[in-house]
Amino acid sequence: MTIERHEPATTAGERTMLEGWLEYHRQTLAWKCEGLTDAQLRTASVEPSELSLMGLVRHMAEVERGWFRKVLAAEDSDPIYYTEEDPDGEFHLSETDTWEEAYATWQAEIECARRNAARFGLDDISEGKHRRTGERFNLRWIYTHMIEEYARHNGHADLVRERVDGATGD
């Protein structure tokens, strides 16, 4: 599979622009993982860090779920990879963890995020609350936060990918 990334039009409206940049960053993370084996995708950046490309994808599946299911739509959905006993479980990989499963789970969460977001306007307030702060957010804030979240982790992915096989790129 070849990942194609598309920046949003420079004259797009606000919602189209926000959704376009979020999609661009989702595609960027997939692109950073493209062509690697499961073992390479599980390779940590540098000791003692457990940060890996597969871990980042699993983390973003959790983030998509948290913001678009739990906060935006108030869905009662359990965490995918982490637990109270292991709050960073998405980064704790074993030899049995596969890219196929991580990618499919991430894509399913993205599809759910798109469906849930389609029900809201940018100024609409979330039905759920943030689990720690109890705050509610409008969809515009959630989109902006998700773009920031992906952009930050895509920077991490750049470094991990270079560590794994020397590949670099924007």
Side-chain angles (χ1 to χ4, degrees), residues 72-85:
L72 185 63
E75 291 181 17
D76 185 23
S77 52
D78 292 330
I80 307 164
Y81 301 108
Y82 73 87
T83 63
E84 283 188 31
E85 299 78 31

Side-chain angles (χ1 to χ4, degrees), residues 14-15 18 72 117 119-127 136-144:
E14 183 180 13
R15 184 171 186 137
L18 290 168
L72 185 63
R119 299 182 6 235
F120 290 80
L122 291 177
D123 292 320
D124 291 345
I125 303 300
S126 62
E127 294 172 356
R136 294 184 188 269
F137 302 83
N138 67 25
L139 179 58
R140 178 183 291 102
W141 191 97
I142 293 170
Y143 274 150
T144 303

Side-chain angles (χ1 to χ4, degrees), residues 34-123:
E34 189 173 49
L36 297 176
T37 66
D38 282 6
Q40 288 172 311
L41 290 162
R42 285 191 298 265
T43 300
S45 57
V46 62
E47 290 184 10
S49 175
E50 295 181 273
L51 188 66
S52 67
L53 290 167
M54 191 181 300
L56 284 171
V57 166
R58 288 167 39 133
H59 174 69
M60 291 313 299
E62 293 281 15
V63 172
E64 294 272 0
R65 177 175 279 219
W67 284 105
F68 289 103
R69 284 188 192 227
K70 295 177 182 179
V71 175
L72 185 63
E75 291 181 17
D76 185 23
S77 52
D78 292 330
I80 307 164
Y81 301 108
Y82 73 87
T83 63
E84 283 188 31
E85 299 78 31
D86 187 7
D88 294 321
E90 64 266 39
F91 295 109
H92 300 151
L93 303 172
S94 73
E95 294 298 314
T96 61
D97 292 311
T98 66
W99 173 247
E100 182 179 358
E101 182 281 324
Y103 184 79
T105 299
W106 179 44
Q107 292 305 302
E109 290 304 320
I110 289 171
E111 284 305 314
C112 185
R114 289 180 185 128
R115 282 192 309 274
N116 285 347
R119 299 182 6 235
F120 290 80
L122 291 177
D123 292 320

